[in-house]
Amino acid sequence: MQLETSYLGTVEYKQEDIIVFQGGLPGFPEETEFILLPFNEQPPFFILQSVRTKEIGFVCINPFLFWPDYEVELADSVVRQLRAESEQDVAIFVLLTIQQPFSETTANLRAPIAIHAKKRFAKQLMLDGERYSLKAPIHMAAKGGR
């Protein structure tokens, strides 16, 4: 199948590539199906692209590459919702807010995306407390900033 995207143009994908967010993402309840695409084949950046709407795509990263001590504790209800056997079945990503210049780009560490890598179910989590920032500068990550 082919999909038109804002960031990457036309991409090929398979039905089994689709990640299902039951109930959609916060602010986008109708957007329940996404695919995760490498951004210009340059890890660690990815695009979480809506299958339904070309214009909806979020740049995201594996936060553990930038903040090695980042922690996400999954509630049992989330593990069940993702149909995971354990937390090890789940990959975590965080959404970026791209800024110009790129060095001003921030990551939302307070609302990570949990994805069951095999079963393709996902959920955006809302972490409690003030431990993590909604706008953590990624250039500060190497310096231990949150």
Side-chain angles (χ1 to χ4, degrees), residues 76-124:
D76 290 343
S77 62
V78 172
V79 173
R80 282 191 305 273
Q81 192 173 11
L82 296 175
R83 300 179 188 167
E85 301 289 323
S86 71
E87 289 186 14
Q88 285 71 37
D89 295 335
V90 178
I92 300 292
F93 291 87
V94 294
L95 303 182
L96 300 182
T97 300
I98 304 298
Q99 302 289 336
Q100 292 297 329
F102 187 77
S103 61
E104 300 298 318
T105 295
T106 60
N108 182 348
L109 297 180
R110 203 175 302 166
I113 303 284
I115 301 173
H116 189 300
K118 292 181 182 170
K119 295 184 180 174
R120 314 302 283 176
F121 289 105
K123 180 174 180 61
Q124 186 168 24

Coordinates of all heavy atoms in Angstrom, one line a residue, residues 76-124:
D76 N -0.2 -1.4 35.2 CA -0.7 -2.7 34.8 C -1.8 -2.5 33.7 O -1.9 -3.3 32.8 CB -1.3 -3.5 35.9 CG -0.1 -4.0 36.8 OD1 1.0 -4.0 36.4 OD2 -0.4 -4.4 38.0
S77 N -2.7 -1.5 33.9 CA -3.8 -1.3 33.0 C -3.2 -0.9 31.6 O -3.8 -1.3 30.6 CB -4.7 -0.2 33.5 OG -4.0 1.0 33.6
V78 N -2.1 -0.2 31.5 CA -1.5 0.1 30.2 C -0.9 -1.1 29.6 O -1.1 -1.4 28.4 CB -0.5 1.2 30.4 CG1 0.3 1.4 29.1 CG2 -1.1 2.5 30.9
V79 N -0.3 -1.9 30.4 CA 0.3 -3.2 29.9 C -0.8 -4.1 29.3 O -0.7 -4.6 28.2 CB 1.1 -3.9 31.0 CG1 1.5 -5.3 30.5 CG2 2.3 -3.1 31.4
R80 N -1.9 -4.1 30.0 CA -3.1 -4.9 29.5 C -3.7 -4.3 28.2 O -4.0 -5.0 27.3 CB -4.1 -5.0 30.6 CG -3.8 -6.1 31.6 CD -5.1 -6.4 32.5 NE -5.6 -5.2 33.1 CZ -5.2 -4.7 34.3 NH1 -4.2 -5.3 34.9 NH2 -5.7 -3.6 34.8
Q81 N -3.8 -3.0 28.2 CA -4.4 -2.3 27.1 C -3.5 -2.5 25.8 O -4.0 -2.6 24.7 CB -4.5 -0.8 27.4 CG -5.3 0.0 26.4 CD -5.5 1.4 26.9 OE1 -4.9 1.9 27.8 NE2 -6.4 2.1 26.2
L82 N -2.2 -2.5 26.0 CA -1.3 -2.8 24.9 C -1.2 -4.2 24.5 O -0.5 -4.6 23.6 CB 0.1 -2.2 25.2 CG 0.2 -0.7 25.4 CD1 1.6 -0.3 25.8 CD2 -0.3 0.1 24.2
R83 N -1.9 -5.1 25.4 CA -1.8 -6.5 25.2 C -0.4 -7.1 25.3 O 0.0 -8.0 24.6 CB -2.5 -6.9 23.9 CG -4.0 -6.5 23.9 CD -4.7 -6.8 22.7 NE -6.0 -6.2 22.7 CZ -6.8 -6.1 21.7 NH1 -6.4 -6.6 20.5 NH2 -7.9 -5.5 21.8
A84 N 0.4 -6.4 26.2 CA 1.7 -6.9 26.4 C 1.8 -7.9 27.5 O 1.0 -7.9 28.4 CB 2.6 -5.6 26.8
E85 N 2.8 -8.8 27.4 CA 3.1 -9.7 28.4 C 3.8 -9.1 29.6 O 3.7 -9.4 30.7 CB 3.9 -10.9 27.9 CG 3.2 -11.6 26.7 CD 2.0 -12.5 27.2 OE1 2.1 -13.0 28.3 OE2 1.0 -12.5 26.4
S86 N 4.7 -8.1 29.2 CA 5.5 -7.4 30.2 C 5.9 -6.1 29.6 O 5.7 -5.8 28.4 CB 6.7 -8.2 30.6 OG 7.6 -8.3 29.5
E87 N 6.6 -5.3 30.4 CA 7.1 -4.0 30.0 C 8.1 -4.1 28.9 O 8.3 -3.2 28.1 CB 7.7 -3.2 31.1 CG 6.6 -2.7 32.1 CD 7.2 -1.8 33.2 OE1 8.4 -1.3 33.0 OE2 6.5 -1.5 34.2
Q88 N 8.8 -5.3 28.9 CA 9.9 -5.5 27.9 C 9.3 -5.6 26.4 O 10.1 -5.5 25.5 CB 10.7 -6.8 28.2 CG 11.6 -6.6 29.4 CD 10.9 -6.5 30.7 OE1 9.9 -7.2 30.9 NE2 11.4 -5.7 31.6
D89 N 8.0 -5.8 26.3 CA 7.4 -5.9 25.0 C 7.2 -4.5 24.4 O 6.8 -4.4 23.2 CB 6.0 -6.6 25.0 CG 6.1 -8.1 25.5 OD1 7.2 -8.7 25.2 OD2 5.2 -8.6 26.0
V90 N 7.4 -3.5 25.2 CA 6.9 -2.1 24.8 C 8.1 -1.2 24.5 O 9.1 -1.2 25.3 CB 6.1 -1.5 26.0 CG1 5.7 -0.1 25.6 CG2 4.9 -2.4 26.2
A91 N 8.0 -0.5 23.4 CA 9.0 0.5 23.0 C 8.5 1.8 23.4 O 7.2 2.1 23.3 CB 9.3 0.4 21.5
I92 N 9.3 2.7 23.8 CA 8.9 4.1 24.2 C 9.5 5.1 23.2 O 10.7 5.0 22.9 CB 9.4 4.4 25.6 CG1 8.8 3.4 26.6 CG2 9.1 5.8 26.0 CD1 7.3 3.4 26.8
F93 N 8.7 6.0 22.8 CA 9.1 7.2 22.0 C 8.6 8.4 22.6 O 7.6 8.4 23.4 CB 8.6 7.0 20.6 CG 9.2 5.9 19.8 CD1 8.7 4.6 19.9 CD2 10.3 6.1 19.0 CE1 9.3 3.6 19.2 CE2 10.9 5.1 18.3 CZ 10.4 3.8 18.4
V94 N 9.2 9.6 22.3 CA 8.7 10.9 22.8 C 8.6 11.8 21.5 O 9.4 11.7 20.6 CB 9.5 11.5 23.9 CG1 9.5 10.7 25.1 CG2 10.9 11.8 23.4
L95 N 7.6 12.6 21.5 CA 7.3 13.5 20.4 C 8.2 14.8 20.6 O 8.4 15.3 21.7 CB 5.9 13.9 20.4 CG 4.9 12.7 20.3 CD1 3.4 13.3 20.1 CD2 5.2 11.8 19.1
L96 N 8.6 15.3 19.4 CA 9.5 16.5 19.4 C 8.6 17.6 18.9 O 7.7 17.5 18.1 CB 10.7 16.3 18.5 CG 11.6 15.2 18.8 CD1 12.8 15.2 17.8 CD2 12.2 15.3 20.2
T97 N 9.0 18.8 19.3 CA 8.5 20.0 18.7 C 9.7 20.6 18.0 O 10.7 21.1 18.7 CB 8.0 21.0 19.8 OG1 6.9 20.3 20.5 CG2 7.5 22.3 19.2
I98 N 9.7 20.6 16.7 CA 10.8 21.1 15.9 C 10.8 22.6 15.9 O 9.8 23.2 15.7 CB 10.7 20.5 14.5 CG1 10.6 19.0 14.5 CG2 11.9 21.0 13.6 CD1 11.8 18.3 15.1
Q99 N 12.0 23.1 16.2 CA 12.1 24.6 16.2 C 13.2 25.0 15.2 O 14.1 24.2 14.8 CB 12.6 25.0 17.6 CG 11.6 24.7 18.7 CD 10.3 25.5 18.6 OE1 10.3 26.6 18.1 NE2 9.2 24.9 19.2
Q100 N 13.2 26.2 14.8 CA 14.3 26.8 14.0 C 15.0 27.8 14.9 O 14.4 28.7 15.4 CB 13.7 27.5 12.8 CG 13.2 26.5 11.8 CD 14.2 25.5 11.2 OE1 15.4 25.8 11.1 NE2 13.7 24.3 10.9
P101 N 16.3 27.7 15.1 CA 17.2 26.6 14.6 C 16.9 25.3 15.3 O 16.3 25.3 16.4 CB 18.6 27.1 14.9 CG 18.4 27.9 16.1 CD 17.0 28.6 15.9
F102 N 17.3 24.2 14.7 CA 17.0 22.9 15.2 C 17.5 22.7 16.6 O 17.0 21.9 17.4 CB 17.6 21.8 14.3 CG 17.2 20.4 14.7 CD1 16.0 19.9 14.4 CD2 18.1 19.6 15.4 CE1 15.6 18.6 14.8 CE2 17.7 18.3 15.8 CZ 16.5 17.8 15.5
S103 N 18.6 23.4 17.0 CA 19.2 23.3 18.3 C 18.1 23.7 19.4 O 18.3 23.3 20.6 CB 20.4 24.1 18.5 OG 20.2 25.4 18.2
E104 N 17.1 24.4 19.0 CA 16.0 24.8 20.0 C 14.9 23.7 20.1 O 13.9 24.0 20.8 CB 15.5 26.1 19.6 CG 16.5 27.2 19.6 CD 17.2 27.5 20.9 OE1 16.4 27.5 21.9 OE2 18.4 27.6 21.0
T105 N 15.0 22.6 19.3 CA 14.0 21.6 19.3 C 13.8 21.0 20.7 O 14.8 20.8 21.4 CB 14.3 20.5 18.3 OG1 14.3 21.1 17.0 CG2 13.4 19.3 18.4
T106 N 12.6 20.7 21.1 CA 12.3 20.1 22.4 C 11.6 18.8 22.3 O 10.9 18.5 21.3 CB 11.5 21.1 23.3 OG1 10.2 21.3 22.6 CG2 12.2 22.4 23.5
A107 N 11.7 18.0 23.4 CA 11.0 16.8 23.5 C 10.0 16.8 24.6 O 10.3 17.4 25.7 CB 12.0 15.6 23.7
N108 N 8.9 16.2 24.4 CA 7.8 16.1 25.5 C 8.1 14.8 26.3 O 7.7 13.7 25.9 CB 6.4 16.1 24.8 CG 5.4 16.0 25.9 OD1 5.6 15.7 27.1 ND2 4.1 16.2 25.5
L109 N 8.8 14.9 27.3 CA 9.2 13.8 28.2 C 8.1 13.4 29.1 O 8.1 12.3 29.7 CB 10.5 14.0 29.0 CG 11.7 14.3 28.2 CD1 12.9 14.6 29.1 CD2 12.0 13.1 27.2
R110 N 7.1 14.2 29.3 CA 6.0 13.9 30.2 C 4.9 13.1 29.6 O 4.1 12.5 30.3 CB 5.4 15.2 30.7 CG 4.7 15.0 32.1 CD 4.2 16.2 32.8 NE 5.3 17.2 33.0 CZ 5.1 18.4 33.3 NH1 3.9 18.9 33.5 NH2 6.1 19.2 33.5
A111 N 4.8 13.0 28.2 CA 3.8 12.3 27.6 C 4.4 11.3 26.5 O 4.2 11.6 25.3 CB 2.8 13.3 27.0
P112 N 5.1 10.3 26.9 CA 5.7 9.4 26.0 C 4.6 8.5 25.3 O 3.5 8.4 25.7 CB 6.6 8.5 26.9 CG 5.9 8.6 28.2 CD 5.3 9.9 28.3
I113 N 5.1 8.0 24.2 CA 4.2 7.0 23.4 C 4.8 5.6 23.7 O 6.0 5.4 23.5 CB 4.4 7.3 21.9 CG1 4.0 8.7 21.5 CG2 3.6 6.3 21.1 CD1 2.5 9.0 21.5
A114 N 3.9 4.8 24.1 CA 4.2 3.4 24.4 C 3.7 2.5 23.2 O 2.5 2.6 22.9 CB 3.7 2.9 25.7
I115 N 4.5 1.7 22.6 CA 4.1 0.9 21.4 C 4.5 -0.5 21.7 O 5.7 -0.8 22.0 CB 4.8 1.4 20.1 CG1 4.5 2.9 19.9 CG2 4.4 0.5 19.0 CD1 5.2 3.5 18.7
H116 N 3.5 -1.4 21.6 CA 3.8 -2.9 21.6 C 4.4 -3.2 20.2 O 3.7 -3.1 19.2 CB 2.6 -3.7 21.9 CG 2.9 -5.1 22.1 ND1 3.5 -5.9 21.2 CD2 2.7 -5.9 23.2 CE1 3.6 -7.2 21.7 NE2 3.2 -7.1 22.9
A117 N 5.7 -3.5 20.2 CA 6.4 -3.6 18.9 C 5.8 -4.7 18.0 O 5.8 -4.6 16.8 CB 7.9 -3.8 19.2
K118 N 5.4 -5.8 18.6 CA 4.9 -6.9 17.8 C 3.4 -6.9 17.5 O 2.9 -7.1 16.4 CB 5.2 -8.3 18.5 CG 6.7 -8.5 18.6 CD 7.0 -9.8 19.3 CE 8.5 -10.1 19.3 NZ 8.8 -11.2 20.2
K119 N 2.6 -6.5 18.5 CA 1.1 -6.5 18.4 C 0.6 -5.2 17.8 O -0.6 -5.1 17.4 CB 0.5 -6.9 19.7 CG 0.8 -8.3 20.1 CD 0.0 -8.7 21.3 CE 0.4 -10.1 21.7 NZ -0.2 -10.6 23.0
R120 N 1.5 -4.2 17.8 CA 1.2 -2.9 17.1 C 0.1 -2.1 17.8 O -0.7 -1.4 17.1 CB 0.9 -3.1 15.7 CG 1.9 -4.0 14.9 CD 3.3 -3.6 15.0 NE 3.6 -2.5 14.1 CZ 4.7 -1.9 14.0 NH1 5.7 -2.2 14.8 NH2 4.9 -0.9 13.2
F121 N -0.1 -2.3 19.1 CA -1.0 -1.4 19.8 C -0.2 -0.3 20.5 O 1.0 -0.6 21.0 CB -1.8 -2.2 20.9 CG -2.8 -3.1 20.3 CD1 -2.6 -4.5 20.2 CD2 -4.0 -2.6 19.8 CE1 -3.5 -5.3 19.7 CE2 -4.9 -3.4 19.2 CZ -4.7 -4.8 19.1
A122 N -0.7 0.9 20.7 CA 0.0 2.0 21.2 C -0.9 2.9 22.1 O -2.1 2.9 21.9 CB 0.7 2.8 20.1
K123 N -0.2 3.7 22.9 CA -1.0 4.6 23.8 C 0.0 5.7 24.2 O 1.1 5.5 24.4 CB -1.5 3.9 25.0 CG -2.2 4.8 26.0 CD -2.8 4.0 27.1 CE -3.6 4.9 28.1 NZ -4.7 5.5 27.5
Q124 N -0.6 6.9 24.1 CA 0.2 8.0 24.7 C 0.0 8.1 26.2 O -1.2 8.2 26.6 CB -0.1 9.4 24.0 CG 0.8 10.5 24.5 CD 0.8 11.7 23.6 OE1 -0.2 12.0 23.0 NE2 1.8 12.5 23.7

